[in-house]
Every structure is written in structure tokens, then in C-alpha cells.
Amino acid sequence: MANLLDQLSAMTVVVADTGDIEAIQQFTPRDTTTNPSLILAAAQIPAYQELIDRSLRESRAVMGAEAGADAVVREALDEICVTFGKEILKIVPGRVSTEVDARLSYDTEATIAKARRLIELYAEAGIGKDRVLIKVASTWEGIRAAEALEQEGIHCNLTLLFSFAQAVACAEAGVTLISPFVGRILDWYKKSTGRDSYPGPEDPGVVSVTEIFNYYKTYGYKTEVMGASFRNTEEIIELAGCDLLTISPALLAQLRNTQGSLERRLNAFDPAPTRPQVHLDEAAYRAMLAEDPMATEKLDEGIGGFIKAIETLEAQLAHRLGELEGGAAFGHAVHEIFLLNDLDGDGCITREEWLGSDAVFDALDTDKDGRLAPEDVRGGLGAALALAGR
């Protein structure tokens, strides 16, 4: 008898949810998907250090010798995501999902610009748009960005999707793919109800994805459904037959090592009965999302988590850039100062946010406006460090 992974692969496209190239080679999925958290995890593996170093050197060449380390790191972040994507595409026959910076989740135009930049980097490596999915958070602004990108032939994967409202808006925008987060939905319900577990068919994440799948197939939407963020194999088994499922290496291994018969639960050609069709404008979308505390909370939490992963990865890249360049520039210190002191993330540090001494703040605040911008810190860093050492 075939193992569960082989049976699942016969009815659902299996996607590897990892940035670990060795794990992708082991399970040979058709597609793979990454995000900053996965890239951050992969970046800890010594075997991938050369990929990161290459991206940092290329970004330094692009930005120029005079650019601060923070600017080089911002450029390198795109380079690294695409570098991992390029390596992955040497292995998988299908597509790789590459994520737009989560800090742009509520900025439609900036999301569009970033997506175009990522596609441009892939094009420079000879990789066409058909092999890349741009991952965008399922905010209203992100959905609108994806709609515009799809019209340009840039295909999108809408992530951090927790609600029916988000799913409807994505389908009406004509996006290629959505990634509803099964496990994170379960996490919320377990915490809010105090229950330790749910049987597979009653798992709130499974129920959500099943409803979205049947709705899409009933009304003929072309958007594909890719269940994501699984906590156990039972969730995966209950969604057998879904268009795609993105699965971590650990759960892929469990499925491959388990014998048994796997039954199709979802059928695109014979969907289960579903609710009446609805159409959402911005006001209706926001109202429906606001009525769902789970989705509202998990969307905000998910964006915040991805942002933290990006910031952590940037800090590591700044450290590595300093090592590669002999620590000659102060750019890394500037980056670390802002990570520590810019509490509201608005790109400047006020005296109220400043955690150091007033003498250092005053030395950096050369224009005496009570706010420190990155250029203030970079320009006055030498004097500030001298004061700090007294």
C-alpha cells in the first residue's frame, strides 16, 4: 500500500513550506513557498552562508561604496529572497512564492513597486514570471495591489488569510492563489475556548478552508486554494483533494512514513453545498472582517510576526556585512540603534524614545529638532560614540 504522502500527491499539489534547499531536494514537491521566517531559519544553516554572502556583495556593488550598511541591507533583503528562490527553482519543476516585505502590507502602491522589483531580479536571472508567485498579505490594500499585479501578468499568492471575507475579496480580485492558515485558526480557537484539541472534521481551520474551497468551486472562481500552516497530519488528511497544500518538512516526513488508505475529502468537480454568492466592496469587506475577531487578531499578529522576522534577518545581515567589510563602516551600528530606539517604527527617534544618555542624543541631534533620522545618527555617530565612552 502506498504511503499517505504519495496518495495525497495524486489528488493535491504538494508544496514544501520551507526555505531549506536540502529538505526540498528530499521531498521533491512541485512548488515551494517561503516567507521571512523561513528564510531566517534557513540563514542559520552554515551551508547557505555563501548564498547570503554573495547577495550582500552584490548589493554592495549595486548601492556603491559610500552607501550606509542599512541601505545595503535593504537591497540585500530582496537579493537574498530571490537568491533562495533561484536555488529552489533549480530543484522544483513548478513555482516558488516570494514574499513582499510585510511592512508594506497596508500600502498598495509600495507593494506593487516591491513586487515589480522582485520580478525584475528574477528576470535578470532568466526566470520568467510564470515560475514566481508574489506573496502578499490579505489586507484590503494588499488585495488591491494583487489585483493590479495580476493584470500585469504578475501572479500572486495572498497569504495570512483567515476569513471568508478575505477569501471572497481575493477571488473577486482575480488573484492566482490564496493561502488560508489552517493551524493558526486552530490555535486561536483552542486558546479562546480552552479546548485542548478538535477532531479533524471539526477543526476550525479545516472547516474554514473547506467552506472557501466549496464556495470557489460552486461559483466558478479560478483562484486556487492552498491550505497552509498545519499543526498536525490530521488537518492535512481532512483537506485531501484541495487544490494545493503547503506542508512543512516534518509533516511531510510523517505522511511519507505512514501507511494507510487516504480518502479524497474535497472535490472540485462535485463541491459540497455552500452559502449564497456575495460581492464585497471595501466597506462590506471591512465590516465583515471586523465581525470576525479571530481573523482580525490573527491578521494583525501575522503581519507583526513577519515584520519581526524581517527586522531580525536585517540585523543578522548587518552583522555579516560588517564582518565581510572588516567593520569599516558605522552603518551596522546605525541599524542597531534604530532597532533599539525607534519604538513606534516611524523612521525617526524622539527624545522620549531614546534609551541612551541625553548627551549622546544632543550630539546626534545637530539640527536641534528633537528627532533623530538615520542620516543624523550616521553623520554624528563618531562624536556620539566618543561622548558615550566618557
Side-chain angles (χ1 to χ4, degrees), residues 14 33 44 47 51 64 85 91 93 108 116 124 132 140 145 150 191 214-215 219-220 270 285 306 311 352 358 360 370:
V14 174
T33 180
Q44 312 311 309
L51 293 180
I91 304 167
T108 297
R116 288 171 177 163
E124 290 172 0
V132 180
W140 179 258
E150 292 280 358
K191 181 178 179 181
N214 288 322
Y215 181 86
Y219 297 109
D270 186 23
Y285 165 88
F306 281 175
E311 291 174 344
E352 289 73 26
D358 287 342
V360 173

Side-chain angles (χ1 to χ4, degrees), residues 14 31 42 75 145 163 168 181 185 194 213 232 323:
V14 174
D31 295 353
E75 174 69 18
S163 73
V168 170
F181 274 30
I185 293 175
F213 179 90
N232 53 66
E323 291 175 350

Side-chain angles (χ1 to χ4, degrees), residues 5-36:
L5 180 58
D6 288 344
Q7 293 176 72
L8 178 67
S9 299
M11 63 183 78
T12 289
V13 173
V14 174
V15 178
D17 193 10
T18 180
D20 185 343
I21 295 167
E22 291 185 5
I24 295 168
Q25 290 174 323
Q26 179 182 359
F27 293 103
T28 60
R30 192 196 77 175
D31 295 353
T32 190
T33 180
T34 65
N35 62 42

Side-chain angles (χ1 to χ4, degrees), residues 187-228:
D187 294 343
W188 190 91
Y189 277 95
K190 287 171 66 176
K191 181 178 179 181
S192 65
T193 64
R195 291 181 59 171
D196 292 332
S197 63
Y198 286 81
E202 298 175 18
D203 183 305
V206 169
V207 171
S208 176
V209 174
T210 299
E211 179 183 34
I212 291 168
F213 179 90
N214 288 322
Y215 181 86
Y216 276 17
K217 305 313 174 186
T218 296
Y219 297 109
Y221 290 110
K222 301 302 182 185
T223 301
E224 295 179 300
V225 180
M226 180 170 72

Side-chain angles (χ1 to χ4, degrees), residues 52-65 67 71-80 117 321 325:
I52 292 170
D53 290 354
R54 184 197 319 160
S55 295
L56 285 168
R57 292 189 183 101
E58 290 174 355
S59 297
R60 168 58 76 190
V62 169
M63 300 305 295
V72 176
V73 165
R74 283 196 300 270
E75 174 69 18
L77 190 61
D78 291 342
E79 292 277 357
I80 285 170
R117 173 58 178 157
L321 183 65
E325 299 182 341

Side-chain angles (χ1 to χ4, degrees), residues 122-342:
Y122 275 111
E124 290 172 0
I127 296 170
K129 292 184 288 188
D130 60 313
R131 299 205 65 198
V132 180
L133 290 171
I134 297 297
K135 284 181 78 174
V136 180
S138 299
T139 60
W140 179 258
E141 294 80 3
I143 295 168
R144 299 279 67 80
E147 182 177 39
L149 291 166
E150 292 280 358
Q151 292 170 1
E152 297 178 14
I154 298 175
H155 303 301
C156 297
N157 171 359
L158 272 291
T159 187
L160 294 176
L161 192 146
F162 303 98
S163 73
F164 187 73
Q166 291 172 294
V168 170
C170 288
E172 294 195 310
V175 306
T176 297
L177 181 73
I178 63 168
S179 299
F181 274 30
V182 179
R184 296 197 192 188
I185 293 175
L186 173 64
D187 294 343
W188 190 91
Y189 277 95
K190 287 171 66 176
K191 181 178 179 181
S192 65
T193 64
R195 291 181 59 171
D196 292 332
S197 63
Y198 286 81
E202 298 175 18
D203 183 305
V206 169
V207 171
S208 176
V209 174
T210 299
E211 179 183 34
I212 291 168
F213 179 90
N214 288 322
Y215 181 86
Y216 276 17
K217 305 313 174 186
T218 296
Y219 297 109
Y221 290 110
K222 301 302 182 185
T223 301
E224 295 179 300
V225 180
M226 180 170 72
S229 177
F230 293 105
R231 296 293 179 259
N232 53 66
T233 57
E234 191 173 7
E235 291 177 323
I236 297 167
I237 290 168
E238 290 298 328
L239 293 175
C242 194
D243 296 322
L244 307 95
L245 297 175
T246 179
I247 306 171
S248 69
L251 293 178
L252 287 173
Q254 287 185 37
L255 292 168
R256 190 172 64 180
N257 294 330
T258 302
Q259 303 295 317
S261 179
L262 182 64
E263 177 186 344
R264 179 186 289 273
R265 300 296 206 275
L266 302 179
N267 190 335
F269 301 102
D270 186 23
T274 188
R275 66 171 77 186
Q277 189 173 19
V278 296
H279 302 284
L280 300 178
D281 57 14
E282 181 176 359
Y285 165 88
R286 295 193 185 281
M288 185 179 290
L289 185 62
E291 292 172 357
D292 188 337
M294 178 276 297
T296 301
E297 181 179 324
K298 298 306 288 185
L299 176 59
D300 289 344
E301 179 186 282
I303 291 172
F306 281 175
I307 288 173
K308 188 64 176 176
I310 291 169
E311 291 174 344
T312 304
L313 181 55
E314 285 180 336
Q316 291 195 1
L317 294 177
H319 277 291
R320 183 58 182 166
L321 183 65
E323 291 175 350
L324 292 174
E325 299 182 341
F330 284 137
H332 167 60
V334 174
H335 184 82
E336 293 284 52
I337 286 170
F338 268 79
L339 281 180
L340 184 63
N341 290 277
D342 184 14

